[in-house]
Amino acid sequence: MFPDLHNVLHGKMHDLQEHGFGETSGSVAINPQQILQILQHPRMNTSSPEGLLYRIFFRLSIILAMRGEEHYDLKIDQFKSDGHDGLQFFRYTSKNNQHLSEDNFYLQPNPSWLENGIWYKTSHIGKNRLNKFMQNIGRETQIDIPIELLSNHSGRKTATQVLQDEEIPEQAIMQLTGHKSVQGVRAYKKINEEQQLNTLKTLINITDDKLSSKQNNSSSQDNSINDNVEITKSRVSLQEISLSANSLGNEIPIFQNCTFSNVSFYIQK
């Protein structure tokens, strides 16, 4: 009912997102192993119209770091020959990402393609159907990602995450994605599994070194204590501990140089 207002708000939302504000967690990135699994799946084979359509869609999603809604606005004349058996892609940067060309890129597959050899119709794939492409790909290739977390925006998240993992400079990532600020790029950053594992290994190594050093320094005392202590889940009243402390003298902590295993302390008033 209010197209002008819709266009203004839509453009403002994009501008805020590019500066690192707004929703960035509604879709999930796809890791390199999952990308390989998808591309090697028979459903992504280019021997059929739908397989070719899915494969092109998936690769463009990542290679061009496309926003979810950009797929529907994609036009064939945004791809130009570079004169060397390659293509150049031109991204239109108007606020509403609109272009006057009627040469749609994603065309509907022709159900009768086996009979007449015509793979596609001249009509554009519907917006609702196209918006489900990434979820359909995830479902049909059976990747280990909750389908509800996949969206057409996942390609953009994937591109940004992969480039960050490879330590590509943020300015170079911005040139590809069209982000207007480094905050917009950093909003997509997520620690990957390898980085998480390295982080945990670092902490484990530190704690192991400290424990081993401490255990070596007090091994003789630990052994004498362990020989006299039964390792059970027993209860000792606070009063008994206090009496033991008095018998040892006030200057010696009762738990000095002690190592406990599978012991629970219950402190009662």
Side-chain angles (χ1 to χ4, degrees), residues 80-115:
K80 306 288 185 182
S81 173
D82 64 356
H84 302 284
D85 297 326
L87 293 173
Q88 289 181 323
F89 174 72
F90 296 87
R91 175 177 274 125
Y92 299 107
T93 57
S94 63
K95 286 187 177 180
N96 301 320
N97 199 27
Q98 294 176 344
H99 184 50
L100 297 177
S101 172
E102 297 297 330
D103 296 326
N104 298 316
F105 187 81
Y106 292 108
L107 302 179
Q108 295 184 23
N110 178 18
S112 305
W113 67 276
L114 286 174
E115 290 78 15

Side-chain angles (χ1 to χ4, degrees), residues 6-7 10 14 53 57 67-75 96-98 104 106-108 123-136 151-153:
H6 174 271
N7 291 336
H10 192 63
H14 275 308
L53 198 64
F57 170 89
R67 301 176 183 88
E69 70 277 5
E70 282 185 325
H71 289 280
Y72 186 75
D73 297 323
L74 197 63
K75 308 297 180 182
N96 301 320
N97 199 27
Q98 294 176 344
N104 298 316
Y106 292 108
L107 302 179
Q108 295 184 23
S123 52
H124 197 294
I125 292 180
K127 192 169 188 177
N128 291 336
R129 181 184 175 189
L130 190 60
N131 285 342
K132 297 292 185 181
F133 259 36
M134 191 65 78
Q135 287 190 352
N136 292 341
S151 74
N152 289 0
H153 200 75

Side-chain angles (χ1 to χ4, degrees), residues 222-230:
D222 290 344
N223 290 334
S224 62
I225 292 174
N226 288 332
D227 290 338
N228 298 323
V229 176
E230 181 181 0

Side-chain angles (χ1 to χ4, degrees), residues 18-170:
E18 297 304 333
H19 284 85
F21 300 98
E23 183 275 327
T24 57
S25 59
S27 56
V28 67
I30 305 169
N31 65 44
Q33 292 76 21
Q34 292 165 337
I35 292 175
L36 186 62
Q37 177 185 341
I38 289 173
L39 292 175
Q40 291 180 342
H41 195 275
R43 192 67 181 87
M44 305 293 286
N45 195 295
T46 59
S47 60
S48 69
E50 285 194 349
L52 177 61
L53 198 64
Y54 276 152
R55 193 174 188 89
I56 291 177
F57 170 89
F58 184 73
R59 296 197 66 187
L60 290 183
S61 297
I62 298 175
I63 294 174
L64 302 180
M66 299 188 71
R67 301 176 183 88
E69 70 277 5
E70 282 185 325
H71 289 280
Y72 186 75
D73 297 323
L74 197 63
K75 308 297 180 182
I76 190 64
D77 63 358
Q78 289 181 251
F79 298 88
K80 306 288 185 182
S81 173
D82 64 356
H84 302 284
D85 297 326
L87 293 173
Q88 289 181 323
F89 174 72
F90 296 87
R91 175 177 274 125
Y92 299 107
T93 57
S94 63
K95 286 187 177 180
N96 301 320
N97 199 27
Q98 294 176 344
H99 184 50
L100 297 177
S101 172
E102 297 297 330
D103 296 326
N104 298 316
F105 187 81
Y106 292 108
L107 302 179
Q108 295 184 23
N110 178 18
S112 305
W113 67 276
L114 286 174
E115 290 78 15
N116 55 31
I118 300 175
W119 279 35
Y120 300 100
K121 301 179 181 179
T122 57
S123 52
H124 197 294
I125 292 180
K127 192 169 188 177
N128 291 336
R129 181 184 175 189
L130 190 60
N131 285 342
K132 297 292 185 181
F133 259 36
M134 191 65 78
Q135 287 190 352
N136 292 341
I137 290 174
R139 184 180 296 107
E140 297 193 27
T141 58
Q142 300 177 337
I143 59 172
D144 188 21
I145 293 179
I147 299 301
E148 64 274 11
L149 297 182
L150 282 174
S151 74
N152 289 0
H153 200 75
S154 294
R156 184 172 176 84
K157 279 197 169 183
T158 300
T160 307
Q161 181 67 59
V162 169
L163 293 175
Q164 288 175 332
D165 290 346
E166 294 296 324
E167 299 183 352
I168 301 298
E170 291 174 333

Side-chain angles (χ1 to χ4, degrees), residues 192-254:
N192 60 31
E193 293 180 2
E194 183 177 356
Q195 291 169 332
Q196 288 179 331
L197 184 60
N198 289 336
T199 302
L200 290 174
K201 283 182 177 178
T202 300
L203 295 176
I204 291 171
N205 289 337
I206 291 175
T207 55
D208 282 348
D209 290 339
K210 288 184 177 180
L211 286 174
S212 60
S213 175
K214 188 174 181 179
Q215 289 173 351
N216 289 334
N217 292 335
S218 59
S219 59
S220 59
Q221 296 177 356
D222 290 344
N223 290 334
S224 62
I225 292 174
N226 288 332
D227 290 338
N228 298 323
V229 176
E230 181 181 0
I231 303 176
T232 59
K233 292 184 177 180
S234 59
R235 296 191 179 190
V236 180
S237 67
L238 186 60
Q239 184 179 5
E240 293 179 31
I241 295 178
S242 299
L243 291 174
S244 299
N246 291 332
S247 65
L248 291 173
N250 294 329
E251 296 181 357
I252 303 176
I254 60 174

